[in-house]
Amino acid sequence: MALVTKAIKGTQDTLPNESYKVQFIEQTVLEIAGNYGFKEIRTPVFEHTELFQRGVGDTTDVVQKEMYTFNDKGERSITLRPEGTAGVIRAFLEHGLFNEPLPQKMCYLTSCYRYEKPQAGRLREFHQFGVECVGTASPAADAEVIALANDVFTFLDVKNLQLEINSIGCPECRKEYHKALKEYFEKYKGDLCETCLGRLDRNPMRILDCKSPVCGEIAKNAPTVLQFLCDDCKEHFDKTKMYLDAMGIEYKVNPTIVRGLDYYTRTVFEFVSNEIGAQGTVCGGGRYDGLCQELGGAPTPALGFGMGIERLMLLMEAQNIPFPADKPCNIYIASMGDKASFKAAEIVSQLRTEGVNAQFDVVGRSVKAQMKFANKLGAEYTMVLGDTEIDENKANLKNMQTGETTEVQLDDFVDNFMNISIQQSMSALYENLGIDDSIDLNSIL
Ligand code: ATP
Ligand code: MG
């Protein structure tokens, strides 16, 4: 029975007293993406396995080792999405979004599933904020997508992230590069891991991304791609860097980045931290000009990135970055007896329609226990209703911060409460700022 009260290895719960943090991140990234013209797209959590085999690439670690694949009851092979791009491009093609004005700028917040060894910053269910910009080959788009990720970090006040960029060329210039890599790795055939031996013929560039320490060591001295770029790819990379310079974005060219997925072409990039352990890549992305065609569409240049939300949270926690506080309970209305409880229900429902966080007793506690509960909630105001208050149509509203109580009419309570709470928070603000609150605000405005 222990199994039912234990989450699956590599998965994580977000508990009610923590969720405001991830909500803040989610709202922030969607807003920034929105300012860049990216609109949210939502795709299913599972797809045909073939989509990822083709769209991520069957020489990748993700496809070879990490996918959650199963047959459904109709004997179809289904895979839980290991990343966001393939599903988005599938939707782009399926719904004819190529007929809309291009580029189509799409973004998403999504869960991803990979069967990996769980450790800090590496989960089996994790979450990504991703963007895809489909239908442009211009280096201006490369810089814009990188700038978006950069803005997210700047806005969230995340520091010490290194932006590393590289170009891995196009299929044309990669032919020569593959040849050189193959020649190099042939010499170490006896030492490469089994997966990489298989990659030697099919896609030697994948060996550069292998996580095995032996392969990693061998890869260190392998020829790098930049010296093999064709003129077009070189120009594209140079212009991308010039746009980044124009936008004031600092970067370092790291010729060893190749990225984990097969479909990347030209620009690839990562935002890397050395403050959260071995899993330091918080965001990775790049151009994938060949993907639409690979999935049966017309050739359509495109690019995007995936940002790991859990790694971002780890980094923000490591840097002690404060999150804006969760929305407080504005008022708790305690009640004694049925009549008062019905009145409390009536008032809280009116307050809630005005956007106030209002709560009342839904347990049947004593007034004393209700007040204790209100304290735990951190209620800004409390009010106790009993038969007398209902009969006299008035009650005492208590400001829990200052201890001040104000007699209020229960008729029109919502308006009364709004006025009193605005007035009191204004005078608290004046006091904090050291301003004389006898000044009439209207006379200044
Ligand atoms: P890594 O090299 O760390 O395995 P990756 O190249 O497999 O990363 P991508 O496929 O580019 O990662 O995914 C984009 C981002 O998603 C990563 O930069 C990271 O922040 C996050 N990510 C990837 N895999 C995981 C995971 N298993 N757990 C948590 N976050 C992850
Ligand atoms: Mg990985």
Side-chain angles (χ1 to χ4, degrees), residues 66 114 116 122 211:
E66 299 170 0
R114 297 186 191 179
E116 301 197 74
R122 195 175 289 291
K211 297 266 167 12

Side-chain angles (χ1 to χ4, degrees), residues 255-404:
T256 67
I257 306 180
V258 292
R259 306 282 314 130
L261 314 180
D262 263 358
Y263 49 61
Y264 283 103
T265 52
R266 295 192 164 173
T267 314
V268 289
F269 62 91
E270 293 183 344
F271 285 83
V272 189
S273 158
N274 56 18
E275 293 172 38
I276 50 170
Q279 270 47 256
T281 308
V282 182
C283 173
R287 187 167 268 292
Y288 47 87
D289 291 345
L291 181 59
C292 282
Q293 200 173 12
E294 181 61 39
L295 297 180
T300 313
L303 77 158
F305 66 69
M307 186 182 289
I309 299 292
E310 286 83 0
R311 289 190 197 174
L312 176 59
M313 293 275 280
L314 280 179
L315 187 56
M316 290 179 72
E317 271 154 23
Q319 296 186 357
N320 283 320
I321 295 172
F323 289 85
D326 204 0
K327 193 175 180 208
C329 168
N330 301 121
I331 178 168
Y332 185 92
I333 302 179
S335 57
M336 208 179 344
D338 279 350
K339 221 158 79 177
S341 180
F342 292 136
K343 187 70 182 173
E346 177 194 322
I347 296 176
V348 294
S349 77
Q350 289 166 352
L351 285 164
R352 287 167 183 163
T353 58
E354 296 300 319
V356 174
N357 177 329
Q359 304 195 43
F360 78 119
D361 175 50
V362 292
V363 180
R365 290 187 170 111
S366 70
V367 169
K368 198 175 156 205
Q370 289 179 50
M371 293 310 286
K372 220 168 137 186
F373 182 68
N375 250 321
K376 279 200 183 135
L377 289 179
E380 294 174 335
Y381 287 88
T382 57
M383 182 167 76
V384 182
L385 298 183
D387 287 345
T388 322
E389 282 77 13
I390 308 294
D391 291 344
E392 292 178 2
N393 187 34
K394 57 187 180 209
N396 285 323
L397 180 71
K398 183 170 180 187
N399 181 326
M400 297 299 280
Q401 185 110 52
T402 60
E404 193 178 345

Side-chain angles (χ1 to χ4, degrees), residues 137-367:
S138 165
D142 300 49
E144 184 174 72
V145 162
I146 294 173
L148 201 174
N150 194 66
D151 268 6
V152 167
F153 298 126
T154 308
F155 187 89
L156 293 175
D157 213 16
V158 175
K159 289 170 231 52
N160 308 331
L161 269 179
Q162 173 83 54
L163 165 61
E164 302 188 348
I165 62 170
N166 190 23
S167 171
I168 56 172
C170 63
E172 231 11 79
C173 44
R174 226 178 288 160
K175 276 186 197 148
E176 282 304 305
Y177 180 50
H178 276 185
K179 233 189 267 169
L181 274 181
K182 233 177 109 180
E183 232 163 71
Y184 173 81
F185 284 120
E186 289 279 357
K187 292 186 289 193
Y188 299 95
K189 247 180 150 168
D191 302 316
L192 292 176
C193 75
E194 209 159 302
T195 322
C196 284
L197 274 182
R199 289 165 169 163
L200 196 51
D201 279 324
R202 297 182 55 207
N203 192 350
M205 224 166 78
R206 282 275 73 80
I207 305 175
L208 300 174
D209 210 34
C210 182
K211 297 266 167 12
S212 125
V214 180
C215 299
E217 202 51 43
I218 298 172
K220 269 189 188 154
N221 296 316
T224 55
V225 63
L226 285 179
Q227 66 222 64
F228 292 88
L229 292 187
C230 66
D231 288 346
D232 284 352
C233 286
K234 215 178 281 164
E235 188 190 337
H236 187 273
F237 192 43
D238 286 341
K239 284 208 170 145
T240 300
K241 289 186 283 188
M242 284 153 82
Y243 276 112
L244 289 174
D245 292 337
M247 291 169 156
I249 295 171
E250 283 176 35
Y251 56 86
K252 189 179 106 187
V253 174
N254 176 352
T256 67
I257 306 180
V258 292
R259 306 282 314 130
L261 314 180
D262 263 358
Y263 49 61
Y264 283 103
T265 52
R266 295 192 164 173
T267 314
V268 289
F269 62 91
E270 293 183 344
F271 285 83
V272 189
S273 158
N274 56 18
E275 293 172 38
I276 50 170
Q279 270 47 256
T281 308
V282 182
C283 173
R287 187 167 268 292
Y288 47 87
D289 291 345
L291 181 59
C292 282
Q293 200 173 12
E294 181 61 39
L295 297 180
T300 313
L303 77 158
F305 66 69
M307 186 182 289
I309 299 292
E310 286 83 0
R311 289 190 197 174
L312 176 59
M313 293 275 280
L314 280 179
L315 187 56
M316 290 179 72
E317 271 154 23
Q319 296 186 357
N320 283 320
I321 295 172
F323 289 85
D326 204 0
K327 193 175 180 208
C329 168
N330 301 121
I331 178 168
Y332 185 92
I333 302 179
S335 57
M336 208 179 344
D338 279 350
K339 221 158 79 177
S341 180
F342 292 136
K343 187 70 182 173
E346 177 194 322
I347 296 176
V348 294
S349 77
Q350 289 166 352
L351 285 164
R352 287 167 183 163
T353 58
E354 296 300 319
V356 174
N357 177 329
Q359 304 195 43
F360 78 119
D361 175 50
V362 292
V363 180
R365 290 187 170 111
S366 70
V367 169

